Amino acid sequence: MNTPAPACACGIVLVLLSLLTGPQTTTAQKNDIDIYSLIVDSKVSSRFAHTVITSRVVNRADTMQEATFQMELPKKAFITNFSMIIDGVTYPGNIKEKAAAQQQYSEAVARGESAGLVKATGRKMEQFQVSVSVAPAAKVTFELVYEELLKRHLGLYELLLKVRPQQLVKHLQMDIHIFEPQGISFLETESTFLTNELADALTVSQNKTKAHIRFKPTLSQQQKSPEQQDTVVDGNFIIRYDVNRTLSGGSIQIENGYFVHYFAPEGLPTIPKNVIFVIDKSGSMQGKKIQQTREALIKILDDLSPKDQFNLVSFSGEATQWMPSLMPASAENVEKARSYASGIWAQGGTNINGAMLMAVQLLDKANQEELLPFGSVSLIILLTDGDPTVGETNPKNIQKNVQDAIDGQYSLFCLGFGFDVSYAFLEKLALDNGGLARRIYEDSDSALQLQDFYQEVANPLLTAVAFEYPSNTVEEVTQDNFQLLFKGSEMVVAGKLRDQGPDVLTAKVNGHLLMQNITFQTEAKVAEQEKEFQSPKYIFHNFMERLWAYLTIQQLLEKIVSASDAEKQALETRALGLSLNYSFVTPLTSMVITKPEGQEESQVAEKPVENENRHRDIPSGHAVLRSQAMGNRKFRKTGSGSADSWLANRGGFGRQVYDMSPVLMGADFGPSLESAPAGPDGVFYDMDLRITEITMTAPPPGTSPAVPAPIQAPSVILPLPGQSVDQLCVDIKHSQGPMNLLSDPDQGVEVTGQYEMEKAQFSWIEVTFKNLQLQVRASPEHVVVTRNRRNSVYKWKETLFSVMPGLKMTMDEAGLLLLSSPDRVTIGLLFWDGPGQGLRLLLRDTDRFSSHVSGTLGQFYQDLLWEPPAADDDSKRTLSVQGHDHSATRELKLDYQEKAPGTEISCWSVEL
């Protein structure tokens, strides 16, 4: 049976939370269901990814057990097949029209069964889960297949596999084959569970057009330690890549009578833009959301090009414009806008209609006064966290008012902050006006999510892009007209070749660039292109036909959002027909999964849609450990404790403030607790109890000796190889603004940072690798890696292993991030949580610094001269650096280079 292909999707994400089981949660009993084989096979052919997950299990218990196959896949991916083989009998999943499967779904819900097998989890993923009863000694094979087209995002394609077998697996293997006829220009791998020891299980081979990544760890490599049977394989495995491209009409690729045309020309200049930022400052934005919005807006303003024009509209019950007209993005105007943005505070209602019309009027006025440069691009970016509550509140009326006002002249992009906003409303608002919608998730990196979105639209390259093919050579072509092409993205058009088509397929791509029309031409020889896709190792049959079908369905679903009622029926009918013909689980179809006789009746898998996901789900990747025996469900209650033990575990002395509302209390706190109603289990829950302050007063003078000040870690420890003193402790005592800590032009590295004197710690440290165009910025909250305007965020103590050309990044469970490459100094960043906690900088292989190294710390790698210790005090001496003398004192310090709480060292210390 034919099975179509995916379209623009963001990356491949799968979580093999595979099989969780057992009446208890001890390791041995959990492993009664033994995963003896887990294979992930992903073939990426010309951006189109076909992924097969096969898990084989056996029940080693002497009683029937429940095995749960659970994994995650990208929201943009379509499941194409699922089957279970139990004792040699195959139980397939059958894809049907959603209405036809609705009766089975409703019956399962009525029985109290969890009929929905797919649900949205996290930002990019959906969770698929199926459970089945397994007889003693019986074996089960689960197989899940899904497909998608990888979407180019800020210059890269991303394939993400999130692997969590939760036990040691005898045969664990991941194979990723990539074939790109244009040639692979960049390839990197990243993992949150790989270590230097486990890296031996990873092999990467690559030639001009092909890459093969294999991860095949042995049982001993999977073990956390020889004493532990737990697995270290638990987290993300990511491949990012890009392809070669030139300033041309793109790449046409042909396979089995279908073609795909990729267009992302290099070397085009950026078109100036006129942008209005419309910012919600209603009461619901109070707290962290408005703080992160201000932070992101200030950074975005800094990124405006001097050729751009801009304005700000903030709104609550009423809308307010920053300036009466568009302003050039000069340094002076940007600084004024930054001051305005930093003063935006949240209060009041939500008047989206008034704010949007004000933004359109600002652009209309500039247009009428001929102040919009010819050939420039006009954008409106709306950020809101809630539904309209003031002025016009009917969503349909607002959508009509905005569409009538914009009238096709400008593009609107809508950002929904959190889950209290109607995403369906924002999505239609954006799609009606040539833009797109995006959800911003409430998290510590919300500001970075906003900045990343802006980077996607910050550099328009072409407008009014149209693809042309000879009408007698192609048919059933996907969308071939696009409003805007942005730097780092890619346009994709697919279609069928007509019977007795030409030997050469030609194409033109027309667009507007600044003040001129521009035409790109390209061609592809059909026979040569067909020959490219003959390697079965990298290609699955009819993949381009499936790519075409996937892309067509995705575009039809998008059109349905903004279509009139009269148009929707025809669009839905065509999308449904393609979904059934190519076996795709889409919002219009469902997969009915059959089970052995005597177990739960058929279950139904349906495709979630973004606007249904109004509430945050359980965080992605959490295990579902069931305390359950077959035929006898039981539940385990957790989470009790006393106030005394809770306080005791806090540790430390001094004046502390504890918020304990609500807290489950087990001690006697007098009448307030006695009068509290008991819960259903007989435990008292006092939801109003609050211990607001616990004060521990020091003993009166004279009753006990003073406690000496604890030994602290210095601001920085510098290793000094080849010197009479092997390391130097540096304490920063004077700092104003950002500091140039290290700069070595020969190494292509620069380290800057900001030191807060009040807290005696760095507020941030940034490492820039100029040759790689990569920055690593560490703060107490997280680490942000920026490459080609693309941000990746990592939390401290989340293990990381990333290899890219010219750099390896690793982070261990202690939170030590190391940046290393051959023949370069290794730079480490650490959030030290021992005494004197805060960000710390580590340096290794410092003998590799060149003679041109400089900076506040770099100066100590130039000519050093140690004077002998003072005659009357051998704990003091003078250090001369490039003609400047520094007083050095021998002091006890904590070495933060060791794990907290660190080790005491005697160190020569200087103050800067």
Side-chain angles (χ1 to χ4, degrees):
M1 174 171 52
N2 288 337
T3 319
C8 285
C10 222
I12 282 209
V13 182
L14 39 119
V15 166
L16 301 169
L17 284 175
S18 255
L19 280 26
L20 310 165
T21 184
Q24 299 180 20
T25 59
T26 64
T27 302
Q29 287 165 320
K30 185 168 68 176
N31 289 348
D32 284 345
I33 292 289
D34 179 24
I35 311 171
Y36 63 89
S37 176
L38 180 57
I39 299 173
V40 180
D41 185 80
S42 189
K43 289 182 171 64
V44 184
S45 307
S46 188
R47 284 73 142 178
F48 184 57
H50 173 91
T51 301
V52 182
I53 305 103
T54 307
S55 181
R56 294 181 172 88
V57 308
V58 60
N59 179 10
R60 301 200 184 280
D62 55 6
T63 59
M64 185 169 284
Q65 299 287 309
E66 181 180 78
T68 300
F69 176 81
Q70 187 182 77
M71 54 79 64
E72 293 185 15
L73 65 155
K75 289 181 178 178
K76 289 289 186 180
F78 290 154
I79 292 173
T80 67
N81 188 42
F82 175 77
S83 64
M84 297 182 290
I85 302 174
I86 305 174
D87 289 334
V89 180
T90 300
Y91 299 89
N94 299 309
I95 295 176
K96 300 181 178 182
E97 182 180 357
K98 182 169 283 190
Q102 188 62 41
Q103 182 177 353
Q104 289 168 288
Y105 183 88
S106 301
E107 289 173 354
V109 171
R111 293 192 302 269
E113 298 169 1
S114 54
L117 303 181
V118 185
K119 66 177 182 179
T121 60
R123 301 179 185 180
K124 300 179 182 179
M125 292 167 278
E126 294 167 354
Q127 184 185 90
F128 177 90
Q129 176 175 310
V130 171
S131 300
V132 65
S133 302
V134 185
K139 293 182 178 181
V140 181
T141 298
F142 297 95
E143 184 176 276
L144 180 73
V145 184
Y146 67 84
E147 297 173 341
E148 68 166 336
L149 183 67
L150 303 183
K151 183 177 181 179
R152 191 168 185 247
H153 173 70
L154 293 175
L156 292 175
Y157 308 98
E158 181 176 281
L159 182 68
L160 166 59
L161 302 114
K162 195 169 182 179
V163 188
R164 300 195 67 188
Q166 300 199 354
Q167 59 175 260
L168 302 178
V169 179
K170 184 176 181 180
H171 182 203
L172 173 60
Q173 182 169 328
M174 289 190 286
D175 279 292
I176 299 98
H177 293 276
I178 300 172
F179 175 54
E180 290 291 350
Q182 285 176 255
I184 299 171
S185 63
F186 174 85
L187 178 73
E188 71 175 13
T189 60
E190 176 182 312
S191 172
T192 60
F193 57 81
L194 272 178
T195 61
N196 285 316
E197 294 75 24
L198 198 57
D200 293 339
L202 175 67
T203 56
V204 179
S205 57
Q206 178 185 349
N207 61 23
K208 182 180 177 182
T209 59
K210 297 176 182 178
H212 177 208
I213 299 95
R214 169 172 286 179
F215 178 63
K216 189 177 181 181
T218 64
L219 279 171
S220 60
Q221 286 176 316
Q222 295 173 49
Q223 282 182 262
K224 284 189 174 179
S225 69
E227 299 78 28
Q228 291 180 294
Q229 292 299 305
D230 293 334
T231 179
V232 298
V233 181
D234 184 354
N236 297 340
F237 187 81
I238 305 169
I239 296 96
R240 298 188 186 96
Y241 75 94
D242 198 17
V243 301
N244 295 317
R245 56 189 88 242
T246 59
L247 183 59
S248 69
S251 172
I252 297 177
Q253 296 164 26
I254 300 168
E255 190 253 351
N256 202 33
Y258 286 77
F259 78 91
V260 63
H261 186 176
Y262 295 109
F263 181 69
E266 287 287 287
L268 293 176
T270 298
I271 299 174
K273 59 185 180 297
N274 317 295
V275 57
I276 310 288
F277 300 98
V278 184
I279 306 300
D280 185 347
K281 61 173 184 178
S282 60
S284 56
M285 287 283 289
Q286 281 183 349
K288 197 166 187 178
K289 282 196 283 190
I290 199 68
Q291 174 190 337
Q292 291 173 319
T293 299
R294 288 195 300 262
E295 177 187 336
L297 187 54
I298 288 169
K299 181 68 172 67
I300 288 169
L301 290 169
D302 287 339
D303 288 340
L304 288 171
S305 166
K307 295 180 181 179
D308 294 338
Q309 297 186 101
F310 74 105
N311 205 337
L312 307 173
V313 172
S314 59
F315 70 94
S316 52
E318 294 182 352
T320 306
Q321 59 193 29
W322 168 55
M323 290 289 178
S325 60
L326 288 174
M327 303 295 291
S330 63
E332 181 182 359
N333 288 335
V334 167
E335 185 56 39
K336 290 178 181 177
R338 283 166 53 97
S339 298
Y340 176 82
S342 63
I344 295 177
W345 299 97
Q347 60 180 2
T350 308
N351 189 348
I352 294 176
N353 189 72
M356 287 303 306
L357 295 183
M358 177 178 285
V360 177
Q361 288 163 8
L362 282 167
L363 289 170
D364 283 346
K365 178 186 174 186
N367 201 12
Q368 291 161 7
E369 296 173 358
E370 299 184 351
L371 297 176
L372 299 182
F374 184 74
S376 63
V377 170
S378 296
L379 312 175
I380 300 173
I381 299 177
L382 167 68
L383 171 67
T384 182
D385 78 329
D387 297 335
T389 61
V390 176
E392 178 58 72
T393 58
N394 184 302
K396 289 187 177 180
N397 291 345
I398 295 173
Q399 288 162 344
K400 183 178 186 307
N401 292 343
V402 173
Q403 187 173 18
D404 290 347
I406 289 178
D407 195 25
Q409 299 178 87
Y410 322 122
S411 295
L412 170 61
F413 299 88
C414 297
L415 304 178
F417 205 144
F419 285 88
D420 293 327
V421 64
S422 169
Y423 189 83
F425 162 67
L426 292 182
E427 184 178 39
K428 179 169 171 54
L429 194 63
L431 291 176
D432 283 348
N433 296 285
L436 56 86
R438 182 75 53 80
R439 192 185 298 282
I440 302 299
Y441 293 83
E442 293 184 58
D443 210 334
S444 61
D445 69 337
S446 296
L448 286 167
Q449 293 177 54
L450 291 168
Q451 292 170 39
D452 270 357
F453 173 80
Y454 173 73
Q455 288 298 337
E456 290 181 53
V457 300
N459 297 287
L461 301 178
L462 289 173
T463 63
V465 182
F467 291 70
E468 291 183 13
Y469 308 95
S471 59
N472 62 340
T473 62
V474 299
E475 60 185 346
E476 295 195 53
V477 176
T478 61
Q479 180 181 343
D480 56 9
N481 282 270
F482 302 87
Q483 193 161 333
L484 286 166
L485 172 67
F486 293 103
K487 184 177 181 179
S489 67
E490 181 174 65
M491 290 177 174
V492 185
V493 178
K496 295 182 183 180
L497 298 180
R498 291 185 181 273
D499 294 338
Q500 286 80 47
D503 296 333
V504 177
L505 176 61
T506 61
K508 290 183 180 180
V509 184
N510 302 306
H512 298 309
L513 172 61
L514 298 173
M515 291 179 284
Q516 61 182 356
N517 296 327
I518 186 169
T519 298
F520 299 89
Q521 296 191 36
T522 191
E523 63 180 32
K525 295 179 180 179
V526 176
E528 286 184 10
Q529 286 292 316
E530 291 272 13
K531 195 174 180 180
E532 286 268 20
F533 296 98
Q534 298 302 315
S535 171
K537 184 176 180 182
Y538 285 81
I539 307 304
F540 51 97
H541 186 57
N542 286 346
F543 88 93
M544 203 164 286
E545 180 181 354
R546 298 185 61 76
L547 184 158
W548 163 81
Y550 172 92
L551 186 57
T552 302
I553 293 168
Q554 290 280 25
Q555 292 176 353
L556 288 168
L557 293 174
E558 196 171 271
K559 287 179 181 178
I560 289 169
V561 172
S562 54
S564 66
D565 292 339
E567 298 169 324
K568 278 184 181 178
Q569 184 59 51
L571 293 170
E572 287 181 353
T573 299
R574 185 168 184 228
L576 174 61
L578 287 170
S579 299
L580 293 172
N581 189 35
Y582 289 91
S583 298
F584 282 140
V585 178
T586 72
L588 302 173
T589 57
S590 299
M591 177 183 283
V592 178
I593 297 172
T594 57
K595 291 190 176 184
E597 188 176 352
Q599 297 196 31
E600 273 183 353
E601 295 185 24
S602 301
Q603 289 183 287
V604 179
E606 296 189 341
K607 179 82 174 170
V609 294
E610 178 67 33
N611 55 45
E612 290 175 351
N613 187 16
R614 295 298 299 271
H615 301 288
R616 189 180 299 277
D617 290 287
I618 295 172
S620 164
H622 283 220
V624 183
L625 294 177
R626 304 183 186 281
S627 179
Q628 175 179 331
M630 300 314 302
N632 179 24
R633 296 180 181 268
K634 62 182 181 179
F635 301 91
R636 193 162 47 88
K637 188 177 74 174
T638 61
S640 62
S642 71
D644 290 341
S645 62
W646 187 84
L647 291 173
N649 288 332
R650 298 292 296 184
F653 293 92
R655 187 173 184 272
Q656 301 286 338
V657 177
Y658 301 106
D659 182 358
M660 298 177 65
S661 140
V663 173
L664 175 60
M665 308 301 292
D668 180 9
F669 279 79
S672 64
L673 185 57
E674 292 172 1
S675 60
D681 50 4
V683 178
F684 289 101
Y685 292 81
D686 181 6
M687 303 306 286
D688 296 317
L689 178 64
R690 182 184 292 264
I691 298 178
T692 58
E693 193 170 290
I694 297 174
T695 304
M696 297 181 181
T697 307
T703 59
S704 63
V707 179
I711 298 172
Q712 299 287 322
S715 304
V716 183
I717 298 176
L718 299 177
L720 300 175
Q723 295 284 326
S724 58
V725 174
D726 62 356
Q727 60 185 4
L728 178 68
C729 293
V730 178
D731 284 307
I732 298 173
K733 298 296 184 181
H734 306 283
S735 173
Q736 290 183 346
M739 306 168 64
N740 176 18
L741 300 174
L742 285 168
S743 181
D744 190 337
D746 294 11
Q747 293 264 314
V749 66
E750 183 177 86
V751 183
T752 54
Q754 178 136 351
Y755 196 82
E756 291 187 57
M757 300 307 302
E758 291 182 1
K759 296 182 179 179
Q761 63 174 264
F762 285 100
S763 55
W764 57 265
I765 299 174
E766 183 170 281
V767 184
T768 301
F769 296 93
K770 295 188 175 181
N771 299 338
L772 302 176
Q773 297 183 326
L774 181 142
Q775 295 85 36
V776 180
R777 186 182 180 94
S779 69
E781 293 76 33
H782 48 229
V783 177
V784 180
V785 178
T786 303
R787 190 177 192 279
N788 292 335
R789 304 173 294 118
R790 179 191 183 105
N791 292 316
S792 298
V793 183
Y794 308 97
K795 294 181 180 178
W796 291 108
K797 301 186 180 181
E798 287 188 352
T799 53
L800 170 69
F801 191 97
S802 174
V803 180
M804 66 185 74
L807 185 68
K808 181 167 80 170
M809 290 190 297
T810 63
M811 190 191 302
D812 60 21
E813 291 179 344
L816 174 59
L817 176 69
L818 291 177
L819 311 168
S820 61
S821 63
D823 304 320
R824 282 189 183 160
V825 176
T826 295
I827 298 173
L829 299 169
L830 171 71
F831 185 72
W832 166 256
D833 51 12
Q837 72 170 20
L839 283 179
R840 292 292 189 275
L841 176 71
L842 294 87
L843 298 173
R844 297 178 182 174
D845 307 315
T846 54
D847 55 333
R848 296 174 179 172
F849 275 128
S850 76
S851 59
H852 299 113
V853 64
S854 61
T856 302
L857 303 177
Q859 63 177 322
F860 294 103
Y861 294 97
Q862 291 289 1
D863 298 328
L864 297 186
L865 179 61
W866 286 95
E867 300 291 342
D872 58 341
D873 187 351
D874 62 3
S875 66
K876 297 183 183 297
R877 62 193 301 188
T878 299
L879 172 61
S880 180
V881 183
Q882 295 182 310
H884 294 87
D885 289 345
H886 298 271
S887 296
T889 307
R890 175 72 77 176
E891 297 178 0
L892 281 178
K893 296 286 186 179
L894 276 180
D895 187 352
Y896 58 77
Q897 299 171 109
E898 302 293 331
K899 290 185 178 179
T903 57
E904 290 185 15
I905 57 172
S906 177
C907 186
W908 285 102
S909 304
V910 298
E911 294 184 357
L912 297 179

